[in-house]
């Protein structure tokens, strides 16, 4: 059996090893991928978690205005049933924006960016500003950052912060 003093001397000797001598323990080999492998991976499509809106193309100004108008109408109608169930629930629609106040939770703000044909949403629940483009294929507003749908995020957040279910 080793005495405590001997063990202490043995383990304390490691602290005196210069860093350069011990660096071989922490080196890692580099991974390189051939061009053929990269081309094969590209055929598999996007990785999970990297869902960016592919194929979202620019729409005309008239299509953009119609899409924003339809979204605002859909939000007003879908959230109207929740007014009675929640205190301080208000909907205020203006030409270029829509505000949905949810009592103590805060105010969702939807702003049109007509020049860039985008829509911005501020969420008081996630405390973030999201930017969306209209996708003609899915007929929905899709996030430019990670590809989530506006209605899906809004529904999830409203379910956690309000009484009732939006009727989108």
């Amino acid at each position: 059996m080793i005495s405590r003093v001997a063990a202490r001397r043995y383990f304390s000797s490691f602290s005196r090893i210069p860093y350069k001598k011990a660096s071989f323990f922490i080196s890692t080999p580099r991974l390189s991928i051939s061009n053929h492998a990269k081309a094969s991976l590209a055929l598999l499509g996007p990785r999970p978690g990297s869902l960016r809106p592919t194929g979202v193309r620019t729409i005309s100004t008239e299509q953009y205005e119609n899409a924003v108008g339809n979204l605002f109408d859909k939000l007003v109608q879908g959230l109207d049933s929740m007014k009675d169930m929640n205190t301080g629930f208000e909907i205020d629609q203006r030409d270029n924006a829509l505000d949905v106040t949810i009592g103590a939770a805060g105010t969702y703000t939807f702003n049109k960016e007509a020049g860039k044909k985008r829509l911005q949403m501020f969420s008081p629940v996630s405390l973030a500003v999201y930017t969306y483009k209209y996708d003609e294929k899915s007929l929905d507003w899709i996030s430019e950052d990670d590809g989530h749908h506006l209605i899906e995020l809004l529904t999830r957040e409203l379910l956690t912060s309000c009484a009732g279910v939006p009727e989108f």
Side-chain angles (χ1 to χ4, degrees):
M1 181 158 194
I2 300 176
S3 69
R4 287 185 180 176
V5 175
R8 211 176 275 150
R9 276 191 206 139
Y10 175 76
F11 288 113
S12 66
S13 67
F14 288 115
S15 64
R16 290 185 231 135
I17 297 174
Y19 179 72
K20 289 182 180 177
K21 287 184 181 177
S23 66
F24 66 91
F25 290 113
I26 56 173
S27 65
T28 57
R30 298 189 116 194
L31 178 66
S32 64
I33 299 175
S34 68
N35 287 338
H36 178 68
K38 287 179 186 176
S40 299
L41 290 173
L43 294 175
L44 296 175
R47 296 177 309 203
S50 67
L51 299 174
R52 292 193 175 227
T54 59
V56 176
R57 60 187 188 104
T58 306
I59 59 175
S60 70
T61 305
E62 184 180 337
Q63 290 172 319
Y64 169 77
E65 292 295 332
N66 287 337
V68 171
N70 291 339
L71 175 69
F72 284 1
D73 292 342
K74 183 178 185 178
L75 292 175
V76 169
Q77 291 172 0
L79 297 172
D80 195 39
S81 64
M82 296 178 70
K83 282 183 181 180
D84 299 332
M85 297 180 221
N86 299 285
T87 56
F89 198 99
E90 296 178 14
I91 300 172
D92 180 31
Q93 187 173 1
R94 298 183 305 278
D95 288 339
N96 294 327
L98 176 72
D99 294 332
V100 179
T101 304
I102 306 171
T107 303
Y108 283 92
T109 304
F110 301 88
N111 289 318
K112 291 193 319 187
E113 289 185 351
K116 296 181 180 179
K117 296 179 184 145
R118 299 188 310 186
L119 182 75
Q120 281 193 336
M121 178 186 80
F122 170 74
S123 167
V125 176
S126 57
L127 297 175
V129 176
Y130 300 99
T131 306
Y132 299 93
K133 280 213 175 224
Y134 186 71
D135 181 24
E136 288 182 299
K137 289 182 182 177
S138 65
L139 302 176
D140 204 359
W141 291 89
I142 299 176
S143 171
E144 289 185 329
D145 298 327
D146 61 1
H148 72 266
H149 293 247
L150 182 144
I151 294 294
E152 291 173 2
L153 176 69
L154 183 61
T155 302
R156 275 195 310 270
E157 290 187 357
L158 288 173
L159 288 173
T160 60
S161 60
C162 296
V165 178
E167 298 173 2
F168 299 129

